[in-house]
Amino acid sequence: MTTTTSTTAAPTEAVATASTAATASTADAPALIRFRPTGLDTAPEVNALLERLGLGPFAPDGLTAFGGRNDNWAGTTTRGRQVFVKTVARAADGSRPEIDRALAFEATAARLPAGSPLRTPEHLGTDRESAVSAFRLLPGSRSGSEVALDGDFDEALCREAGRAVATLHTLGTAGGASDGASGGEAPDPASAPAIDTGEAPLPPMRWLRAFPWSEVQDRSMAQIAAWKLVQDDTEVVAALHRLRERERTAPHTPAHCDLRFDQFLVHDGQLFLCDWEEFRLADPARDVGAFVGEWLFQATYSVFAPTGEPTSAKDAVAPGFDLSHEQIVERGAAGLRHHIPRIAAFWQGYTECRTPDPELAERAVGFAGWHLYDRLIATAQAHAVLNPVARAAAGIGRTLLLNPAGAVATLRLADPAVPHPAVTPAAVVPAAVLPTAVAHPAQPHPADAPSGSPR
């Protein structure tokens, strides 16, 4: 049984199998939503790891979990240490690629200097055989998705996010990691897994041609309908193939490759980036585009908020079927005007810490377009039909994929010294945001379209 320890940066999206929710809070700020964790009697490897690390087992009182796809536990050990522990799934062949990618990040980021813009919760140790990792708990933290919904993910935080992501993209390059002290003993790079150089799994290119029956059985009707929007649109399929080809020839850097708002934590006024299970060498435009896409998805939801203003965590999204075309376009443009300064602040922070390659912004717009499709597919999991919000997201994603160069300036990913244009509805919010206008008639797929690896 192998245990890897480190006192430097590391991942973790707050996750767990849970029911019976409760909300924890501190005097300073709302905490992440908590859940009842899986019983530790069914996961003895958790306390076994904590004891080998000298932290003591979890004290049963106050033990909680965070929602998500993997089991996790958060609480205080018998020796008074506040700890977060998570498990990840093993591959069908018994390998542990997610743990290996996370450990590769640990080794790569081991010599980040104190005060680096890239902050992650402290990694305490990993049992690779059991696929369990322990991290220092950040009590009272707020998920970036919660912060965004509450309107608190402001331009200052977005600039910090840009600096963090740019620092990630410079890891292992001249000036990207310091040889100075990192605040503790770093993991031995010689014993750490190599950085994954395999192609990122999304979008799954073979799924653009046909949906595997084994996957159909695990998808909601709304998710199948969302995939049909992609598969039946030959222009979108062709654009995704072009994006993949551009990605293959682009300069690759260390990249997160699963960037979403909920991968950020805000703790004591500082921004942390978490969850490194998809870490690999990849096109840095993936991460930039994902952050842009998150804000565009927020703008899409604001179209159907009761007032047309950005939604907050307590707002219910209106169905939107009673909105006219003019109202949809007007509210969409208003949402973009509200969020684009945040995108600009992210880009400012990014370019302060890294000089992007000349085509990165354009590729990032393409990845932002895919991100909108990816988010609408993910959020359709619990629904039987696609609502107008999902179709609006697909319309905007389509616009970005088909003409990424045309949206670079509008999204303020151009040279910061160049005056930015006014945001106009036609630039990003097309007529296709109408609830019935996104579905395209089925057409034959190009026979020579290349195919990649499915997820």
Side-chain angles (χ1 to χ4, degrees):
M1 191 166 292
T2 303
T3 301
T4 303
T5 59
S6 169
T7 54
T8 58
T12 130
E13 172 191 2
V15 285
T17 302
S19 59
T20 314
T23 301
S25 62
T26 67
D28 299 322
L32 293 166
I33 294 175
R34 303 291 181 93
F35 295 84
R36 178 180 296 169
T38 298
L40 285 172
D41 57 336
T42 66
E45 64 274 13
V46 171
N47 276 336
L49 172 62
L50 294 178
E51 293 197 70
R52 287 200 305 277
L53 294 174
L55 304 173
F58 271 124
D61 293 341
L63 189 63
T64 60
F66 302 115
R69 60 188 174 89
N70 297 319
D71 280 345
N72 71 80
W73 299 260
T76 304
T77 70
T78 56
R79 296 188 179 181
R81 295 291 299 273
Q82 292 186 304
V83 178
F84 174 82
V85 177
K86 68 181 296 187
T87 66
V88 298
R90 303 183 191 184
D93 62 2
S95 62
R96 303 156 183 82
E98 293 187 350
I99 283 287
D100 288 345
R101 283 192 287 265
L103 290 176
F105 168 79
E106 291 294 338
T108 305
R111 296 192 179 279
L112 281 171
S116 168
L118 177 58
R119 305 180 190 90
T120 67
E122 180 186 355
H123 176 233
L124 303 173
T126 289
D127 180 348
R128 183 179 177 278
E129 183 176 338
S130 299
V132 178
S133 294
F135 307 90
R136 182 173 70 88
L137 181 65
L138 303 178
S141 297
R142 301 175 68 200
S143 163
S145 57
E146 176 193 344
V147 174
L149 285 170
D150 286 344
D152 297 332
F153 210 134
D154 57 18
E155 292 176 32
L157 273 181
C158 287
R159 179 171 170 268
E160 287 305 304
R163 289 171 58 83
V165 172
T167 301
L168 166 64
H169 293 168
T170 63
L171 285 177
T173 64
S178 169
D179 288 332
S182 60
E185 182 181 354
D188 180 8
S191 62
I195 299 178
D196 191 344
T197 58
E199 190 173 69
L202 299 177
M205 305 308 288
R206 290 179 182 170
W207 290 14
L208 302 181
R209 184 181 289 272
F211 206 66
W213 175 245
S214 60
E215 298 293 340
V216 172
Q217 300 174 79
D218 294 331
R219 298 295 183 273
S220 71
M221 292 301 295
Q223 284 183 310
I224 294 172
W227 270 109
K228 186 173 174 59
L229 288 181
V230 180
Q231 293 167 336
D232 287 352
D233 191 334
T234 55
E235 290 183 304
V236 166
V237 170
L240 287 169
H241 282 297
R242 289 195 299 271
L243 183 61
R244 276 292 204 184
E245 287 301 315
R246 295 186 70 177
E247 176 186 23
R248 292 186 182 107
T249 59
H252 283 199
T253 69
H256 189 282
C257 291
D258 191 25
L259 200 69
R260 302 187 307 272
F261 284 156
D262 59 6
Q263 313 292 32
F264 290 96
L265 296 174
V266 178
H267 175 68
D268 287 346
Q270 292 188 316
L271 194 68
F272 291 75
L273 182 55
C274 309
D275 194 357
W276 300 95
E277 282 79 13
E278 290 301 323
F279 173 74
R280 68 187 71 220
L281 290 180
D283 184 352
R286 278 187 170 271
D287 292 343
V288 175
F291 192 86
V292 173
E294 286 284 83
W295 282 118
L296 295 179
F297 201 60
Q298 290 276 325
T300 305
Y301 268 81
S302 74
V303 169
F304 299 104
T307 62
E309 295 298 323
T311 59
S312 73
K314 62 182 180 296
D315 288 331
V317 177
F321 286 101
D322 58 342
L323 296 178
S324 69
H325 170 80
E326 291 75 15
Q327 287 175 311
I328 290 174
V329 172
E330 180 182 353
R331 291 187 178 189
L336 286 170
R337 282 192 292 269
H338 185 83
H339 292 315
I340 281 179
R342 293 171 167 84
I343 296 173
F346 172 87
W347 187 243
Q348 178 189 356
Y350 188 91
T351 55
E352 287 172 356
C353 293
R354 179 176 186 264
T355 301
D357 68 82
E359 297 183 353
L360 186 147
E362 189 174 322
R363 297 194 311 277
V365 172
F367 280 114
W370 161 251
H371 189 83
L372 287 166
Y373 280 104
D374 183 55
R375 289 292 84 207
L376 78 90
I377 291 168
T379 56
Q381 182 176 2
H383 302 283
V385 296
L386 283 178
N387 62 25
V389 177
R391 293 186 178 274
I396 295 173
R398 186 177 196 272
T399 299
L400 300 181
L401 279 168
L402 298 190
N403 184 22
V408 167
T410 299
L411 295 176
R412 294 178 64 179
L413 299 180
D415 186 336
V418 177
H420 63 274
V423 178
T424 62
V428 178
V429 185
V433 299
L434 283 170
T436 58
V438 180
H440 301 277
Q443 302 178 42
H445 290 295
D448 58 349
S451 61
S453 301
R455 179 169 57 180

